[in-house]
Amino acid sequence: MRIVRTVAALREAVGTDPAVPVGLVPTMGAFHAGHLALFRAARAENDVVVASLFVNPAQFRPGEDLARYPRDEARDEALADEAGVDVLFVPSVDEMYPPGFQTWVEVEELSRGLEGAARPGHFRGVATVCLKLFSIVRPRRAYFGQKDAQQAAVVKRLVRDLDLGVEIRVGPIVREEDGLALSSRNVYLDPAERKAAASLSDALRDAARAYAAGERDPVRLRAVLVARLRAEPLADLEYAELVDAATFEKPGTLAVIAARIGKTRLIDNHDLSIPLPG
Ligand code: PAJ
């Protein structure tokens, strides 16, 4: 695996032959099994696999965890190499946002609700860095996780609206044994919080069971989600909604949740028309 830190070195390592399919997995590092599953999916479908490791300051709000976001490049390099990544792109902030940088892309409606409302400017940062990565790497396919469902919807819309010609693949959510969705931020949880964090997937499982039992009223399905989260004293519910998976408009069967466990903000989601095992 090659490690490159500049746009020029990346272009040189990847080449520009349109006949060679390139798969890109954008990441912020602190790899876990969710990231590794995306690397493997890219490996299976492309001749060249590029992963980017860039903690993108533009998608963090002041007061969020940019400064303390977990970073361990040596560990990430070993894991990426093992999972079949050919080129790991690790640019500096200056390489991605050189002095005078002032061009931003915004996916307007999809960025407004839920995560966009809780984190204003977040999806503008995500869309801009993804557009930059697509234009630097020129991948045939790019891989994202369903864990960040609204992000995946924003990126799909970006590609469609700007005719970027990148095939967006979305991998399933990889979960811990108790259902907690893997996240780089789970390391912030102390043991009691870690236990309480399972309440997010518990709530999604309860609602999927209610759906399987015939419940279709979005108000009552939402009440099932809320009840389970309110029953966990360490969980502070931010939102729980049922939305359409493509438009993120209400109503739909995609249940999306955000909650704080102590100081840590977690998100999860699940399509209620599919049972959630556990
Ligand atoms: P990051 O949080 O590092 O996630 C990188 C990719 O891994 C995202 O597409 C995310 O949805 C996926 N992922 C995270 N946890 C997962 C899980 N438990 N199961 C499956 N996939 C999972 O998301 C970002 O970085 C950034 O916003 C980025 C797209 C790189 C732009 O900066």
Side-chain angles (χ1 to χ4, degrees), residues 25-98:
V25 186
T27 84
M28 301 203 300
F31 295 155
H32 52 62
H35 296 111
L36 303 186
L38 296 178
F39 298 156
R40 294 204 185 92
R43 177 75 281 160
E45 295 180 330
N46 302 276
D47 287 358
V48 177
V49 176
V50 179
S52 60
L53 193 180
F54 179 62
V55 182
N56 174 31
Q59 68 186 76
F60 289 78
R61 303 253 304 153
E64 287 188 352
D65 57 344
L66 173 62
R68 66 183 189 119
Y69 197 82
R71 295 168 208 243
D72 189 343
E73 198 189 310
R75 177 181 170 273
D76 285 349
E77 284 169 11
L79 289 170
D81 191 18
E82 232 174 272
V85 172
D86 296 307
V87 180
L88 187 65
F89 179 47
V90 194
S92 66
V93 172
D94 254 20
E95 184 71 10
M96 291 298 273
Y97 301 107

